[in-house]
Amino acid sequence: MARTDALKTDNFEEAIQRCLAFREVGCDMTFLEAPETVDQMKDYCRRVSGPKLANMLEFGSTPILPPKELKEMGYTFAAYPLTLLSASIKAMQQSLQLIQSGQSTEDMILDFGETKDVVGFTGYANEEQRYKT
């Protein structure tokens, strides 16, 4: 994958030219960092062949679009680099506020069995039983 930040340092046309040059030298995937409009995103996908990465960073420069719309536009891969981290931090802050105020956190959490399933403890226990002597 080849990335260009030329949109910020130069202009959109320069960024497109760099992506085209990446493809000419055999790059498998291009990544035009931080298109600022849906029209720029569409133009990039229309003009540059091959797989393309969309960086869906909330509160960044690029419009956040649904995966289906990104695919229809021509993107083949979408990264959400901070979505889950940010969402988990927010949930932790909300849970801590509930604890601090003496309120229940039950609506914020999974039950213990589901938590064990998600982190793999149930599977580990099943494997342990297979090898128990």
Side-chain angles (χ1 to χ4, degrees):
M1 177 174 62
R3 168 186 172 149
T4 183
D5 290 82
L7 182 58
K8 293 293 181 200
T9 60
D10 296 282
N11 57 55
F12 182 71
E13 189 57 37
E14 177 62 24
I16 292 294
Q17 291 307 312
R18 290 183 189 191
C19 288
L20 291 169
F22 295 153
R23 292 292 293 159
E24 284 180 25
V25 297
C27 177
D28 292 330
M29 179 181 282
T30 58
F31 172 28
L32 189 158
E33 170 63 11
E36 297 174 344
T37 67
V38 171
D39 285 341
Q40 284 183 343
M41 296 168 77
K42 288 179 179 178
D43 198 23
Y44 163 55
C45 288
R46 183 178 49 77
R47 294 174 62 189
V48 179
S49 66
K52 291 172 242 358
L53 168 67
N55 190 24
M56 298 287 96
L57 179 63
E58 291 86 351
F59 306 107
S61 300
T62 303
I64 304 298
L65 301 175
K68 182 180 178 188
E69 191 172 337
L70 290 169
K71 184 176 182 178
E72 289 169 356
M73 192 179 289
Y75 285 98
T76 51
F77 189 85
Y80 295 80
L82 296 178
T83 304
L84 295 179
L85 176 62
S86 182
S88 63
I89 290 169
K90 185 173 183 175
M92 286 184 252
Q93 290 173 329
Q94 291 172 341
S95 295
L96 288 169
Q97 288 172 350
L98 290 171
I99 291 167
Q100 185 178 37
S101 66
Q103 298 178 53
S104 172
T105 58
E106 286 184 16
D107 290 339
M108 296 290 299
I109 63 173
L110 303 173
D111 67 46
F112 188 53
E114 192 171 357
T115 299
K116 290 190 303 183
D117 289 346
V118 169
V119 298
F121 290 165
T122 304
Y124 297 146
N126 291 339
E127 285 299 305
E128 182 180 39
Q129 291 304 312
R130 278 184 50 199
Y131 298 102
K132 195 173 186 176
T133 57

